[in-house]
Amino acid sequence: MNTWVKDAIVYQIYPRSFKDSNNDGIGDINGVRSKLDYLEQLGINTLWLSPVYDSPCDDNGYDIRDYQTILAEFGTMQDFDLLLEECHQRGMKLVMDLVINHCSDEHEWFEQSKLSKTGPYADYFYWADKPNDLKSVFGGSAWDYCESRQQFYLHTFSKKQPDLNWECSDLVSEIERMVDWWLDKGVDGFRVDAISFLDKSGIEDAPNGTFATEACVNRPKGHTHLRKLMSKVHTRDVLSVGEINARGTSELLDYVLPSRNEFQMAIVFTPPEIEVFHENLNQYYKDQIKVRIEVQRQGAWNANFLSNHDKPRQVSLYGDDGEFWLQAAKALAVLNLTQHGTPYLYQGEEIGMTNCYFDEISDYDDIDTIAKFQEQLENGLSSEQALALVSKASRDNSRTPMQWDSSTFAGFSKVTPWLKVNENKSTINVKSQEQDAESILQFYKQLIEFRLGSETLKTGDTSLHETADPIIAYQRQGDSCTYLVIVNLSSEVVLAPSLPESQTARLMFGEALSEYLPPYYFAIYKY
Ligand code: GLC
Ligand code: CA
């Protein structure tokens, strides 16, 4: 793997919510361009742009209508080219989101496929005369009827996201051409969306009531398709990261072992509900560390992240967004930036943005949240109960506009944004944290710089200490030094673990160990 990938600190931009340059309430590419100084100063060297392709935005751009055009709301191809050029001038890389499990029902391929059972596009999608009882991720059946073809088409996600048929060689060639086109343009790699479901053969026979995502996950032929595509991608100087679904470490390894030539690293998708309603998140987080240790032992590379556009805010989920907000956000930063692999930050994480806690379902936009809300109403819950349940895991928690300052629309826009601004923008925003030496933002800057300068933190061996919850402690051992990282991932005061190394070590970040550790205590020792 290229050195720059090992050195990457990736910052995910959700363009709709990052910065609105022309004051129409929607974030855009020129908005991103206007914040490159900010990102550079933070220490970011790689951007991952969530989809900016032309799309009817049924799922906010993850439903692509044209892979080689920029969504008008986001700007033009010229704006994109400038963004790419300006990133490169600064020595920053730009990684695109690549959505190839499905496209939009408004894509030309689907428009054509709908028309004929025999035409050139007939097999670009999955068509069946009789649907089975397979469920889609965003509610309802995974099959929808098409009048003109008098057949049903498969959609793992919303009905406006028909699944592409990877058995169709013409389709695969079109995708390969499109991917090459972006690489020729100079983009620095891809985050490949929802890639575990490429092999749908025999889906008609899936057991009733299963989700399409369960029925066709991680099958061998899906890996074959992927390898064919990615071995071409990897002839270029790129970063590749797959968003995968894995039931255990071995399914994860199937995507990331270097010998397989599929991805350099993977972001494992976990339905937010699993984490939000988990009874012991400490244990859960420790288990994730164990998985990463195994990935590392097997000679593969990790992708570390706390949040993204599909998850609640990290400080609300794993930490505390009330009394211990500041300390919790810093402790989480320590966890994300001291493990093996490439760290990913999601916009706003660096200032500790929190969940949004809207009062009305009408304030939410996310297709997933709205579908789940409906489902709960059908289950007999009142709308208050349904909202209380679905809002915790809502993807809108992480999609509210970026909080640049304390003004009415948080410096994101001068007009009412597409999604409400979080009310706490008056206390949580970039501007105030830039002026505060103790802020989360300043802490991120220091920690990123520290990580970039440390080979041990990037590649050193990892071993987890056996500590009682809620303490998480691990070591990173390199050729020249060893780091010991200790975090109390809770709002309780706890008894310190006995870690002999810490006696002689030098404290690099946080507070020295004492008998009792305060809420969200953290320390990085070097010895
Ligand atoms: C991925 C994306 C998510 C999207 C889904 C369908 O999980 O991250 O936002 O809804 O795929 O494309
Ligand atoms: Ca705009």
Side-chain angles (χ1 to χ4, degrees):
M1 201 193 320
N2 340 331
T3 358
W4 76 260
V5 174
K6 293 202 164 169
D7 288 343
I9 307 275
V10 182
Y11 187 95
Q12 182 192 353
I13 292 185
Y14 196 68
R16 183 163 291 268
S17 307
F18 190 62
K19 171 72 190 168
D20 175 17
S21 71
N22 61 347
N23 296 308
D24 62 356
I26 297 168
D28 45 55
I29 290 173
N30 285 336
V32 178
R33 290 177 56 210
S34 73
K35 294 296 180 183
L36 290 178
D37 279 346
Y38 166 78
L39 295 167
E40 195 177 0
Q41 278 159 24
L42 179 57
I44 300 302
N45 54 23
T46 307
L47 303 184
W48 147 26
L49 212 51
S50 275
V52 290
Y53 313 95
D54 180 40
S55 161
C57 287
D58 186 51
D59 186 21
N60 277 355
Y62 283 90
D63 47 321
I64 298 174
R65 182 163 49 201
D66 182 343
Y67 287 90
Q68 286 167 233
T69 305
I70 299 292
L71 177 63
E73 286 171 338
F74 288 169
T76 62
M77 192 57 85
Q78 207 179 357
D79 299 334
F80 178 85
D81 290 341
L82 285 171
L83 171 65
L84 184 61
E85 198 181 310
E86 288 164 4
C87 283
H88 287 170
Q89 274 162 6
R90 289 162 196 264
M92 270 188 195
K93 306 285 185 178
L94 183 63
V95 170
M96 300 290 279
D97 219 307
L98 186 64
V99 189
I100 47 179
N101 173 71
H102 46 269
C103 61
S104 163
D105 66 338
E106 296 181 27
H107 193 292
E108 171 73 14
W109 297 336
F110 193 69
E111 299 280 358
Q112 294 291 335
S113 195
K114 277 189 336 195
L115 296 179
S116 151
K117 288 183 190 170
T118 52
Y121 295 91
D123 298 329
Y124 271 42
F125 298 86
Y126 291 91
W127 293 98
D129 294 327
K130 259 209 206 129
N132 59 357
D133 191 18
L134 207 61
K135 291 198 282 185
S136 90
V137 174
F138 298 147
S141 169
W143 297 98
D144 230 62
Y145 190 62
C146 167
E147 205 49 66
S148 51
R149 223 174 119 146
Q150 307 223 324
Q151 276 186 312
F152 293 82
Y153 67 91
L154 178 71
H155 58 89
T156 300
F157 296 92
S158 97
K159 65 176 179 199
K160 285 185 68 63
Q161 293 169 299
D163 283 68
L164 292 162
N165 177 7
W166 279 73
E167 289 299 301
C168 170
S169 55
D170 286 348
L171 164 82
V172 173
S173 306
E174 296 231 36
I175 289 182
E176 285 171 355
R177 268 199 297 278
M178 175 273 287
V179 164
D180 264 345
W181 186 84
W182 281 103
L183 290 170
D184 286 345
K185 215 178 213 322
V187 303
D188 302 295
F190 298 106
R191 174 269 188 191
V192 188
D193 185 70
I195 202 63
S196 285
F197 319 114
L198 291 192
D199 176 10
K200 270 112 177 171
S201 45
I203 195 144
E204 316 78 69
D205 305 323
N208 271 347
T210 39
F211 279 99
T213 43
E214 295 161 354
C216 52
V217 65
N218 302 331
R219 291 165 155 198
K221 246 200 293 174
H223 283 287
T224 314
H225 294 316
L226 185 60
R227 215 152 34 232
K228 182 163 172 272
L229 177 73
M230 295 312 288
S231 53
K232 287 201 181 127
V233 171
H234 288 148
T235 59
R236 318 268 194 137
D237 181 23
V238 290
L239 180 153
S240 71
V241 55
E243 186 212 26
I244 64 155
N245 288 48
R247 297 160 300 187
T249 314
S250 90
E251 286 192 352
L252 162 59
L253 286 168
D254 285 346
Y255 287 97
V256 297
L257 282 177
S259 57
R260 293 184 60 97
N261 207 5
E262 294 187 23
F263 289 120
Q264 292 163 342
M265 60 193 126
I267 288 174
V268 180
F269 177 84
T270 310
E273 290 75 14
I274 293 196
E275 292 185 317
V276 167
F277 300 112
H278 202 283
E279 53 195 29
N280 186 345
L281 265 183
N282 274 301
Q283 200 52 56
Y284 174 84
Y285 196 83
K286 265 186 208 168
D287 288 345
Q288 303 309 307
I289 296 177
K290 286 181 191 158
V291 170
R292 290 193 274 270
I293 289 176
E294 184 56 20
V295 166
Q296 185 177 8
R297 281 210 185 111
Q298 298 284 338
W301 192 250
N302 279 295
N304 299 310
F305 62 99
L306 295 164
S307 57
N308 58 44
H309 66 295
D310 293 331
K311 284 177 65 126
R313 285 287 177 180
Q314 90 283 358
V315 69
S316 302
L317 176 64
Y318 305 111
D320 175 271
D321 57 15
E323 190 182 351
F324 303 113
W325 164 76
L326 181 75
Q327 186 69 15
K330 290 183 182 178
L332 287 166
V334 166
L335 290 176
N336 202 30
L337 286 158
T338 57
Q339 292 187 54
H340 168 261
T342 299
Y344 288 71
L345 271 64
Y346 176 70
Q347 65 185 43
E349 183 173 326
E350 75 279 20
I351 54 168
M353 278 179 64
T354 71
N355 281 356
C356 57
Y357 307 111
F358 294 148
D359 303 327
E360 307 280 341
I361 187 69
S362 56
D363 289 335
Y364 288 87
D365 168 88
D366 173 22
I367 180 172
D368 190 41
T369 309
I370 291 161
K372 285 181 177 142
F373 178 79
Q374 284 306 334
E375 212 175 285
Q376 293 305 339
L377 292 185
E378 281 153 29
N379 289 345
L381 260 57
S382 71
S383 47
E384 289 77 36
Q385 289 167 324
L387 186 63
L389 198 69
V390 302
S391 60
K392 288 198 180 77
S394 171
R395 305 191 298 179
D396 283 338
N397 284 313
S398 56
R399 296 178 181 184
T400 60
M402 177 74 184
Q403 291 161 212
W404 296 102
D405 61 37
S406 61
S407 63
T408 316
F409 303 119
F412 164 75
S413 177
K414 292 202 172 83
V415 302
T416 308
W418 70 279
L419 185 66
K420 262 172 95 171
V421 172
N422 193 318
E423 276 169 17
N424 62 23
K425 53 113 176 59
S426 39
T427 49
I428 303 179
N429 64 68
V430 170
K431 196 168 171 200
S432 65
Q433 294 196 23
E434 276 177 336
Q435 290 150 8
D436 173 3
E438 299 303 314
S439 68
I440 298 166
L441 181 63
Q442 305 295 353
F443 187 74
Y444 264 94
K445 275 187 200 172
Q446 291 154 14
L447 207 55
I448 288 173
E449 195 185 339
F450 180 63
R451 178 176 177 106
L452 282 170
S454 164
E455 193 54 33
T456 301
L457 286 179
K458 288 174 219 158
T459 58
D461 281 343
T462 313
S463 48
L464 186 66
H465 281 279
E466 287 297 329
T467 49
D469 288 337
I471 300 287
I472 295 175
Y474 51 85
Q475 255 169 236
R476 302 294 317 283
Q477 193 181 341
D479 293 337
S480 56
C481 69
T482 298
Y483 291 105
L484 170 66
V485 178
I486 308 155
V487 170
N488 167 13
L489 198 58
S490 81
S491 17
E492 311 293 319
V493 176
V494 293
L495 201 61
S498 106
L499 300 167
E501 307 85 354
S502 55
Q503 306 291 323
T504 53
R506 188 149 66 95
L507 184 66
M508 308 301 288
F509 282 89
E511 299 289 323
L513 272 169
S514 57
E515 199 181 346
Y516 290 97
L517 304 183
Y520 298 100
Y521 167 90
F522 63 84
I524 304 177
Y525 280 102
K526 180 178 185 178
Y527 62 97

